[in-house]
């Protein structure tokens, strides 16, 4: 990074074509817990986006042709730099996004794994040999990178989602213009080219344009109007994703969309309830419910509903709320004061309509208490739409079939979880749930970089894994398979669910294209 002026608040620059570029205006990047200014960041414009697209387009031919071994070295070096800067990134995520240590650590580890895995992708096969009916002839189908990919990232999983947005396309020879969320322009944006430049990535391969609050549209206009931009790679809300997809359609650009969810977690009567309680608390409240894969509804089979809820309420009440920089904190602040007000309003409306508060139910300064609601009337927004806060709706089901029916009764389909003592029954039921991923005996936030993450229905389309980033069609229909004991991302939660030492059967099933 360039030299910084002598102020306590760091001023950043955009990264375009390998240079750090100032903007005419700066905007305040706020600490959501303290409400203080933690950095000043360029309020970039459409002209900055144009320069960034120019730089990415200029870098594309050279990067597409670069030998895999060179790319491999760069990705491995970048992984090492992230590992070296781990503490600093964890602290930044707390200050910029209110992220407590467990999720920040998860983000860093996942970013490192993603970079290390991508280091080998340059050696993946680039096509197929196809038989021809013409004698003595065969055909070749070769995959090529797309060109410039425009990445638009959110603030919630700021760092890991930014890496996911950049690493996958770049590993397959594309170049990127990244536009991070205005709520996390450093951890979801400007930090990446700093690391990639040190790792040796050439100028222009990744460019970052930032913008002030409410000023994303002109930058997106540039992405759509420029023919060099071949794909919009978006993670964010379903409303914004829908609007971008409509525009992508008009411009015949590809898009990959990872959108919102209303993720169910089913607990069947034969489940290990200690495990299920811990999994549900984690799924609902990890990162204050601000992850697209958080469980929004827990559906519990009737015979164990009362005892399960009693234990879950006790566990929820024990979660510590406060400063995300404090290692003891589990529940940090919501991203903005407006987010706290929105969650409070939606919970209050549900209560007024007859919902019962089993835990929490109130704001606590910049935080919102982890909250469980029962008997939420079907017409309430919280009954079927994500609040993006630490609010879990509890519902009982008379049978496993009814539980599945409740789980399916949403317009979303990102992630689901199902906890049972009978894996075979779990797999059979899981295959009936429409979601991009269904975790059997694990919770909904579980994720690993090599899995083809993405949603069905209003949760988006496309997958974050390798096939998206090259020309020529590819099939994405095969499930990642059964991985005993593998999908255990809640290991980062304090008092881990598998602290009991037992290995559980856990599997992830990609809902798309399953027979
Ligand atoms: P949230 O409301 O949770 O921030 P959004 O979907 O609005 O969710 O934000 C996700 C990303 O989409 C952010 O980077 C944001 O700046 C960007 N975004 C929001 N509105 C637009 C828009 N009109 N065009 C392009 N990007 C947008």
């Amino acid at each position: 990074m360039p030299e910084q002026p002598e102020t306590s608040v760091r001023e950043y620059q955009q990264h375009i074509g390998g240079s750090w570029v100032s903007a005419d205006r700066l905007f305040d990047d706020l600490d959501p817990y303290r409400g203080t200014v933690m950095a000043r960041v360029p309020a970039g414009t459409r002209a900055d986006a144009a320069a960034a697209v120019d730089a990415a387009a200029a870098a594309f031919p050279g990067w597409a042709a670069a030998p895999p071994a060179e790319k491999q070295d760069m990705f491995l070096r970048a992984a090492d730099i992230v590992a070296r800067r781990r503490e600093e990134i964890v602290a930044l995520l707390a200050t910029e996004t209110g992220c407590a240590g467990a999720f920040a650590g998860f983000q860093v580890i996942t970013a490192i794994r993603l970079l290390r895995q991508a280091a080998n992708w340059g050696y993946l096969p680039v096509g197929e040999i196809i038989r021809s009916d013409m004698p003595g002839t065969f055909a070749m189908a070769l995959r090529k990178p797309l060109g410039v990919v425009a990445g638009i990232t959110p603030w919630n999983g700021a760092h890991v989602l930014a890496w996911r947005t950049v690493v996958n396309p770049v590993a397959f020879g594309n170049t990127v213009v990244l536009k991070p969320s205005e709520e996390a322009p450093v951890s979801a944006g400007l930090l990446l080219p700093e690391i990639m430049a040190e790792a040796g990535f050439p100028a222009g391969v990744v460019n970052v344009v930032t913008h002030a609050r409410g000023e994303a549209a002109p930058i997106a206009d540039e992405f759509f109007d420029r023919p060099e931009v071949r794909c919009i790679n978006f993670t964010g809300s379903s409303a914004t994703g829908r609007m971008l997809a409509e525009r992508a359609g008009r411009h015949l650009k590809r898009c990959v969309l990872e959108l919102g969810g209303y993720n169910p977690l089913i607990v069947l009567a034969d489940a290990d309830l200690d495990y299920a309680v811990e999994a549900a608390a984690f799924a609902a409240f990890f990162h204050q419910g601000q992850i697209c894969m958080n469980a929004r509804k827990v559906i519990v089979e009737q015979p164990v509903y009362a005892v399960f809820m009693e234990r879950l309420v006790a566990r929820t009440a024990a979660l510590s709320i406060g400063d995300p920089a404090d290692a003891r904190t589990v529940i940090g602040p919501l991203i903005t004061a407006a987010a706290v007000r929105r969650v409070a309003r939606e919970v209050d409306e549900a209560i007024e309509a007859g919902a019962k508060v089993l835990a929490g139910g109130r704001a606590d300064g910049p935080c919102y208490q982890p909250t469980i609601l029962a008997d939420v009337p079907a017409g309430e927004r919280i009954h079927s739409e994500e609040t993006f806060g630490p609010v879990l709706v509890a519902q009982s089901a008379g049978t496993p079939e009814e539980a599945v029916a409740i789980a399916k009764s949403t317009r979303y389909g990102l992630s689901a979880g199902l906890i049972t003592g009978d894996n075979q029954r779990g797999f059979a039921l899981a295959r009936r749930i429409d979601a991009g991923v269904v975790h059997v005996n694990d919770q909904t936030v579980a994720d690993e970089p090599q899995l083809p993450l993405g949603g069905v229905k209003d949760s988006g389309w496309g997958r974050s894994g390798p096939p998206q980033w090259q020309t020529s069609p590819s099939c994405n229909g095969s499930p990642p398979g059964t991985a005993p004991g593998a999908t255990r991302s809640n290991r980062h939660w304090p008092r881990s669910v598998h602290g009991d030492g037992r290995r559980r059967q856990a599997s992830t099933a990609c809902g798309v294209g399953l027979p």
Side-chain angles (χ1 to χ4, degrees):
M1 273 301 259
E3 282 181 22
Q4 292 299 313
E6 289 289 311
T7 62
S8 56
V9 175
R10 181 170 168 182
E11 289 188 3
Y12 283 83
Q13 293 172 305
Q14 299 177 100
H15 192 78
I16 299 173
S19 300
W20 294 100
V21 179
S22 302
D24 293 341
R25 281 185 300 136
L26 298 172
F27 73 100
D28 292 342
D29 189 6
L30 301 175
D31 174 335
Y33 187 68
R34 292 176 180 74
T36 50
V37 177
M38 54 101 18
R40 292 190 208 284
V41 176
T45 61
R46 182 165 180 165
D48 295 315
V53 173
D54 287 344
F60 173 62
W63 180 246
E70 284 179 18
K71 291 176 174 160
Q72 186 171 55
D73 287 346
M74 294 172 206
F75 279 110
L76 292 175
R77 275 196 298 267
D80 289 346
I81 296 166
V82 174
R84 189 191 77 216
R85 296 181 65 174
R86 178 196 168 107
E87 295 308 315
E88 177 202 341
I89 296 169
V90 166
L92 171 68
L93 284 166
T95 320
E96 190 179 42
T97 69
C99 183
F103 186 44
F106 170 81
Q107 292 196 55
V108 173
I109 288 166
T110 308
I112 293 168
R113 288 198 185 132
L114 179 62
L115 285 159
R116 292 205 172 124
Q117 288 175 14
N120 206 37
W121 288 350
Y123 288 108
L124 290 179
V126 292
E128 306 167 71
I129 305 292
I130 302 168
R131 287 184 199 278
S132 167
D133 284 329
M134 287 204 275
T137 304
F138 64 89
M140 288 186 289
L142 296 181
R143 294 175 185 274
K144 293 164 64 184
L146 301 171
V148 178
V149 173
I152 300 178
T153 57
W155 48 263
N156 59 338
H159 197 58
V160 69
L161 294 179
W163 279 117
R164 191 182 74 186
T165 301
V166 164
V167 165
N168 293 330
V170 166
F172 287 93
N174 305 281
T175 55
V176 169
V177 179
L178 174 64
K179 187 216 80 60
S181 165
E182 52 271 56
E183 301 299 345
V186 181
S187 53
L190 295 167
L191 191 55
L192 274 67
E194 201 175 291
I195 291 167
M196 294 180 84
E198 184 185 340
F201 284 87
V205 169
V206 171
N207 309 272
V208 178
V209 178
T210 54
H211 62 87
R213 290 182 183 80
E215 296 181 10
I219 292 169
D221 290 345
E222 185 67 19
F223 292 161
F224 284 110
D225 284 353
R226 291 292 294 273
E228 297 93 331
V229 176
R230 297 312 324 149
C231 180
I232 307 292
N233 181 15
F234 173 79
T235 304
S237 65
S238 291
T240 304
R242 188 185 303 280
M243 180 273 292
L244 295 174
E246 285 170 5
R247 295 188 73 182
R250 269 204 306 284
H251 287 84
L252 294 176
K253 293 185 196 292
R254 289 182 184 211
C255 59
V256 177
L257 306 169
E258 206 244 271
L259 308 178
Y262 193 79
N263 310 303
L265 179 68
I266 295 175
V267 178
L268 297 185
D270 62 0
D272 172 338
L273 290 192
D274 287 340
Y275 173 78
V277 163
E278 198 67 19
F282 180 90
F285 303 128
F286 196 45
H287 196 39
Q288 300 81 266
Q290 296 176 118
I291 303 173
C292 51
M293 295 181 293
N294 282 119
R296 306 298 173 192
K297 187 175 280 188
V298 63
I299 305 159
V300 187
E301 215 181 335
Q302 185 59 52
V304 295
Y305 179 79
V307 61
F308 174 84
M309 290 314 302
E310 191 185 330
R311 290 196 213 171
L312 180 60
V313 166
R315 179 70 179 111
T316 301
L319 298 174
S320 55
I321 304 176
D323 185 349
D326 184 332
R328 290 162 301 186
T329 296
V330 177
I331 306 289
L334 298 191
I335 188 70
T336 58
V340 178
R341 286 195 297 274
R342 190 198 60 243
V343 172
R345 188 183 64 243
E346 291 184 6
V347 169
D348 290 349
E349 282 170 5
I351 295 168
E352 246 172 60
K356 283 201 189 77
V357 180
L358 303 185
R362 276 207 301 273
D364 186 341
C367 307
Y368 196 87
Q369 296 174 340
T371 294
I372 305 174
L373 299 177
D375 301 335
V376 177
E380 286 307 296
R381 192 176 182 282
I382 254 171
H383 190 269
S384 53
E385 297 287 333
E386 64 184 5
T387 45
F388 233 62
V391 180
L392 181 69
V393 170
Q395 207 169 330
S396 71
T399 62
E401 287 69 29
E402 189 190 343
V404 168
I406 295 169
K408 288 175 71 162
S409 63
T410 159
R411 67 189 177 105
Y412 299 101
L414 187 60
S415 178
L418 191 149
I419 301 180
T420 170
D422 179 345
N423 281 313
Q424 287 312 316
R425 184 167 68 147
F427 293 137
L429 292 168
R431 290 172 67 161
R432 289 165 43 192
I433 298 173
D434 306 318
V437 58
V438 183
H439 300 279
V440 177
N441 281 329
D442 207 345
Q443 48 72 41
T444 57
V445 188
D447 186 25
E448 294 184 60
Q450 73 278 15
L451 298 180
L453 186 79
V456 298
K457 303 198 284 185
D458 283 10
S459 291
W461 69 66
R463 293 293 178 271
S464 59
Q468 301 295 329
W469 310 111
Q470 299 166 304
T471 56
S472 95
S474 58
C475 169
N476 190 27
S478 56
T482 303
T487 310
R488 314 300 311 227
S489 70
N490 43 358
R491 63 191 170 276
H492 303 290
W493 183 251
R495 219 185 85 187
S496 163
V497 292
H498 61 130
D500 60 10
R502 278 174 284 163
R503 279 173 79 84
R504 279 166 213 288
Q505 197 72 16
S507 103
T508 13
C510 171
V512 177
L514 279 176

